[in-house]
Structure formats: structure tokens, C-alpha cells
Amino acid sequence: MNSNQHILDELYQVILSRKGASPDSSYTASLLHKGVDKILKKVGEEATEVVIAGKGGSDTELVYETADLLYHSLVLLAARDIPAGAVWSELQRRFGTSGIAEKAARKE
């Protein structure tokens, strides 16, 4: 198994460890201290940057912006006390299911 496959879990654990830290000690702690609205703003900014990079940026830029979006999404999960594993479980549940069928099932 590639060591990169666990990086999101490791990153999430680091984010959780920053929840009680001083906002002056790290960027993550400062985001968590500022609250969900600030984190949501960052997620929105990063999502927009992914779109821009995907449309006309280099592959390197797209990778960089996608990493930023994943990081900020994990910060949001931590702020809301949602385990990252809940997202992994949802992806696992969807795996092997047609996207069309999965979306139709949500409407029921």
C-alpha cells in the first residue's frame, strides 16, 4: 500500500490536534478559532481556485489548489466534529454504484 494513501487520515489527525491550540500557534488553529463561517469562506475560495486551475491552469496548479481544497474541507469536518472516516465510508458506499443510480437514490 502506498504511504500516500493514508495522508488524509494523518492530516485530519493533525487538524484535530490543533483544535485546542492557541490561534497564534498555527494557521489551522487560527482557522478553527475563527469559526465555521471563516472556514466556509476558505472552502469556497479554494473551490473557486480549483475551477480556475482546472479550466486554464497548469497541472501543477490544479494539484496545488486541489490539495488546498481537501485541507480546508478537512478543517471544516473537524470544526463540525465530523470524523473524516464518515466521508471515506460514504465514498466506499458509493463505490461500484452508477453515479446516475446513486443520485436517483438520494431523491427517494
Side-chain angles (χ1 to χ4, degrees), residues 32-102:
L32 290 164
H33 181 76
K34 291 174 184 173
V36 171
D37 286 345
K38 176 62 175 178
I39 298 165
L40 289 170
K41 181 178 178 191
K42 289 302 297 179
V43 169
E45 288 172 6
E46 298 303 340
T48 300
E49 290 173 5
V50 166
V51 170
I52 292 167
K55 180 68 176 165
S58 67
D59 291 354
T60 301
E61 184 180 0
L62 179 57
V63 168
Y64 182 86
E65 297 302 344
T66 300
D68 283 351
L69 178 57
L70 289 170
Y71 160 77
H72 285 91
S73 296
L74 289 174
V75 172
L76 177 59
L77 290 173
R80 295 277 311 270
D81 295 319
I82 299 170
V87 175
W88 315 155
S89 293
E90 177 60 15
L91 289 171
Q92 182 66 42
R93 183 190 70 77
R94 294 180 188 186
F95 193 78
T97 302
S98 157
I100 294 169
E102 196 280 325

Side-chain angles (χ1 to χ4, degrees), residues 15-29:
I15 291 167
L16 289 176
S17 76
R18 302 290 199 271
K19 283 186 87 168
S22 166
D24 297 331
S25 67
S26 76
Y27 175 70
T28 301

Side-chain angles (χ1 to χ4, degrees), residues 3-31:
S3 64
N4 290 338
Q5 291 177 309
H6 296 291
I7 191 62
L8 292 176
D9 286 320
E10 291 176 28
L11 177 57
Y12 186 73
Q13 291 307 311
V14 170
I15 291 167
L16 289 176
S17 76
R18 302 290 199 271
K19 283 186 87 168
S22 166
D24 297 331
S25 67
S26 76
Y27 175 70
T28 301
S30 71
L31 272 177

